[in-house]
Amino acid sequence: MRTEQSLFRQREGWLHSNNPLQKTTFVLALGGIDIIAKPEIFEAIRMRYPDADIILSSTAGEIHDNAVYDESVSVTAIELEHTQTRVLAFPVTDHANSYDCGVAIARQLQAPKLKHILIFSDGHRINGDDLIQGINSEVGPEVIVTGGLAGDAGRFSGTRVGHNEIPVDNRMVAIGFYGDRLQVTHGSQGGWDPFGPIREVTRSDKNVLHELDGENALEVYKRYLGPRAEELPGAALLFPLCILNDHHEHQLVRTILSIDEASGSMTFAGNIPQGSEVQFMMSNFDRLVDGANSAAVVASEHCTDLPPQLVLMISCVGRKIVLNQRVEEEVDAVRSIYGQQPAYTGFYSNGEISPSRGVNSCALHNQTMTITTYTEH
Amino acid sequence: MEDNMELHRLLNRQIQKHLAVPEETMKHLHGLLHAISQSYVQFDNDRVFLEHAMMQSSNELLSKKQVITNLLETQTKAIESLRASIAGLIPDSHLNANDDIMAIATLLQNEVEGRKNAELQTEQINKRISYLLNSLRLGMVEYDLTGKIERAHDKFYEIFEWPSESLTGECISSLVSGNGEENYLNKFLGSFASSDGIVLELPLATYNRKVFWALCSIAPVYDPKGLRKGSVMVVFDINAQKNLEAELRNERVKALEALEIRKSIMANVSHELRTPLNAIVGMSSLLKETPLNPEQSEYVDTLNNSSNGLLTLINDILDISKIESGALVMEKTTFSLHQSIHTLRKTLNVKAQEKGIKLRLITDSDLHGYHIGDPTRLNQVVTNLVGNAIKFTSKGSVDIIVELVEDLKTDQVIRISIRDTGIGIPEQSMKSIFQKFSQADLSTTRQFGGTGLGLNIASEIVQLMGSEIKLSSQLGSGSTFSFTITLPKADAPEQDVPQVPQNKSLEGYRILLVDDNNVNLFLAQIILKKWQAQVTTATNGEEALKAMHNSKFDLVLMDLQMPILDGFEATRIVREELKDLTPIIAFTANALNSEKDMCLSIGMNDYLTKPIQPDQLFLAILRILQNNEQLKTA
């Protein structure tokens, strides 16, 4: 595997790593919501990698090498020597629901030696939980499924995803990796702690939350956000919801996708089952950086003695809001594990996809740093 | 970046205090200072934001704590009241103030479990009771103090043919059929006041008012405080038994009626037989006392023997009849056993001598002088046994042995044995000879004669005396009949039984003889006249009353069954209306004890049966006349 990275910034223009590839397999282009859909961006990438599969996704911040940028485009071209790939792209509206999308992806990518599926999905309308359950229904735990929901700078008004095209709304892209010589590892950690009273979800419909303890959920959020309620829906990322299991243990973290002032409802990136018990979560800088570090440690534990050649970081938009000026420290935490050698790319997303810890099947996560590493040998 | 943007106040102060650089340099530092200022602001904002969130959380937790506190208070109160309720409900619960709701829950769970088990047991017991009631065909019903039915068991419904479950609330009394007789209902109502269980036979009514008899066992029921709360009744259908009982009762009445008819037939027959026999015996006795040649004398003897034999037979039949009807009652008079047996031996010895055998009497010297008993019947038994012994013994002897078995304070136990050296009785016949019309061998009848009634009568009489005749015999060498009787000891009677004097004389006594039978009248007249009495005759009660009105008599001999006015009625008039105390002796051919009692009860002085036994007649007359004399002289 060989990689070439480029960064586009409005003021500086294109900056290439000048590490030309002989035969580019596919290109990941992760960019700000206002810039990624510009035709000249796609055209520039196509010109440089005429034969490669180009995958584009909007973000809430781009991770490129050791820095985090806003409204830039981070491009990573990848040349695989011993691994075949196959890319699927379709509008999420082609299927009745997110579950069916998942089933369709898994069935179409299913082939001998399928090792890994990488997902870039619309991050506004999709129900990540259902999507992943659909995939899980078709593939076994030996296939590592990771990826993320596209971001939109925390506005929650619409994302863009594309495959060999200018990225659009409602798009779903999945890449299948086939072969024995690709090593994929993953790690996912949060760094959030529950606080305050445990609340019961008294009214919800799949990933739309209406009431907590009989009170309008949006009102509860507003009360807690105080003056920052004006920053909704992005401000809601400060208080992700922790869904507790029967033993009152922290099970899954759910973060908001959008709000509806008229009905007082909130749409989350995954399901909030009615009757379940939830608790607000909060974090601070140190906890989040520790979380990123832990994710890298977990992913590295899966590695053989070969160091990763590419590290893909998909981190949650909520973390970026809390970390603010210090957001790069979580990138540094990851880099402190893998060193200078690998190529680093990634983005701040509306939701992360990776296998749950202890459970091999894939799940949707929120508020985590999710790391996928790639090595070809 | 905007130049006019204000820096954080703290940063401004810090710059003024610590950063003394020219204005130009400041411009170069603008970007850096601005980023630092933003960090300050963000830090402040984050702190305010988190404080706000913590305050919210704290408030929320406080209000939740208040809710929990209130809830806890309510629960504490609830637990308190629960504990109090449990203490009342389960007296031995031993809950103390430290026991929390879990302890109470455990206790209640155990209690519920216990009660469930108890209910299960009760249910099993009830099932068992139901099964028993059903299989024993017992109907059970429970009702309150007013008689309102609270619960009736299946069999009860079945017995009363009521639609199931419909009896609850009905009045129990409505099931008791008055059967036209109020007293059954009253008897039943009496059970409401009775504190003991009672058992009644009651006519009850089914749903369709069909009446049946039932045995009802009724017992009071009390509540746990011991107050009467009602009754329980168990009903057993005895209709079939009752019907059978009624049938048997009818049969018994019919049988008794038949017996009465038979008795009166017997009485009549006996009367009709005795009357002519009386005449024959009397006449032959009289005839014998007239001067006769030897040939005539032999004829008269034969006549006498035959008529006496006939008399014995009639008496036997009468005795059998009396025994069968239960009319034979043992008398209780004072008598001398020794004298009685002695006289008997003397009488029977004649026969023994005729057959050339010895008749010996062996008596115990310790026998008491007098006893209380029925000498006539005792004589009859011994006479029969000795008579038989003589009859069946052709050589040797017959012994009468009177032994004292036990001498008690007031009684003596005496065994009387009759031992002979006769033909003996075969073993297979030892039982049957005591039966009626039975002799040891049919040939016996031909050889020895007899009716075969005597031994049966003797046996029955001994049984009435509370004993039985025992028999030991060896064929060809003789038999021994014996019986043991217990007789109370008695003092010597004040006046000894008068002996019949050699010269019978009733000279100077006026006697009224009343009889509708001319032969009897004639016979008695001859006898009385022979004793020099002044005799007036009457042929019925009316004539007798006339005669008594016209003349004064010392004694009246009154027949009982007579036309126009019978002996009973005539006596009643004499005693009640005429207030005449002239002694009256009943003189009848009927030999029934009931008649004798009746005679004495209406004021007759004695009772004699026909045919006339001159000695008896004389003694009876003498006894009454002497009594009268004594009264007169007194």
Side-chain angles (χ1 to χ4, degrees), chain A residues 54-309:
Chain A
I54 301 167
I55 293 107
L56 301 100
S57 176
S58 66
T59 72
E62 303 80 53
I63 297 169
H64 188 84
D65 193 23
N66 62 352
V68 175
Y69 301 96
D70 287 308
E71 292 308 315
S72 73
V73 180
S74 166
V75 177
T76 306
I78 297 135
E79 180 187 317
L80 292 166
E81 293 159 274
H82 311 291
T83 307
Q84 281 73 52
T85 57
R86 194 161 147 213
V87 182
L88 282 181
F90 53 86
V92 293
T93 48
D94 276 6
H95 296 278
N97 52 51
S98 301
Y99 183 88
D100 289 351
C101 279
V103 171
I105 290 166
R107 281 186 187 165
Q108 289 183 52
L109 293 181
Q110 192 68 269
K113 295 187 179 177
L114 174 64
K115 180 123 192 166
H116 169 54
I117 297 173
L118 181 61
I119 308 263
F120 292 90
S121 167
D122 165 81
H124 184 54
R125 293 206 170 79
I126 199 82
N127 180 330
D129 261 342
D130 289 356
L131 170 76
I132 291 159
Q133 279 178 32
I135 296 172
N136 283 341
S137 72
E138 295 290 323
V139 301
E142 72 281 1
V143 178
I144 295 165
V145 182
T146 60
L149 308 187
D152 63 350
R155 295 177 206 156
F156 301 102
S157 58
T159 59
R160 301 272 189 277
V161 175
H163 171 230
N164 296 338
E165 61 182 336
I166 294 166
V168 295
D169 217 359
N170 291 328
R171 183 70 71 182
M172 168 83 63
V173 174
I175 311 156
F177 293 77
Y178 307 84
D180 298 323
R181 299 181 65 172
L182 180 71
Q183 175 188 280
V184 179
T185 70
H186 62 87
S188 181
Q189 287 289 310
W192 296 77
D193 297 308
F195 80 100
I198 293 170
R199 301 160 204 276
E200 192 191 339
V201 176
T202 47
R203 188 154 80 87
S204 74
D205 179 17
K206 285 194 149 305
N207 60 340
V208 179
L209 174 66
H210 296 277
E211 282 175 11
L212 290 171
D213 280 344
E215 192 181 349
N216 183 285
L218 192 54
E219 288 303 317
V220 179
Y221 264 94
K222 283 181 176 172
R223 197 169 71 235
Y224 266 73
L225 290 169
R228 292 186 73 168
E230 289 167 18
E231 297 168 39
L232 273 169
L237 292 169
L238 294 167
F239 298 128
L241 273 186
C242 168
I243 301 178
L244 304 174
N245 64 13
D246 291 344
H247 309 291
H248 280 186
E249 286 163 350
H250 169 182
Q251 198 185 18
L252 275 175
V253 182
R254 286 287 168 261
T255 191
I256 196 165
L257 289 186
S258 62
I259 61 166
D260 182 348
E261 283 281 356
S263 66
S265 69
M266 310 171 82
T267 301
F268 282 76
N271 291 338
I272 313 282
Q274 188 165 308
S276 61
E277 286 185 316
V278 298
Q279 204 173 3
F280 278 172
M281 298 184 100
M282 55 184 253
S283 192
N284 59 42
F285 163 76
D286 294 319
R287 297 276 298 117
L288 293 180
V289 172
D290 282 352
N293 187 265
S294 299
V297 169
V298 169
S300 71
E301 279 166 2
H302 294 140
C303 290
T304 57
D305 45 356
L306 287 170
Q309 292 161 326

Side-chain angles (χ1 to χ4, degrees), chain A residues 199 213 223-224 226 324-325, chain B residues 42 52 56-57 60 64:
Chain A
R199 301 160 204 276
D213 280 344
R223 197 169 71 235
Y224 266 73
N324 203 290
Q325 283 191 57
Chain B
Q42 192 197 346
H52 172 80
Q56 285 299 319
S57 177
E60 206 168 352
K64 294 226 180 215

Side-chain angles (χ1 to χ4, degrees), chain B residues 513-518 521 537-541 543-544 562-563 565:
Chain B
L513 190 59
V514 191
D515 202 317
D516 63 328
N517 185 295
N518 282 332
L521 210 55
T537 60
T539 57
N540 61 49
E543 281 182 22
M562 290 181 296
L565 188 65

Side-chain angles (χ1 to χ4, degrees), chain B residues 39 186 232 339 443 521:
Chain B
S39 312
N186 289 338
V232 60
Q339 195 184 329
S443 60
L521 210 55

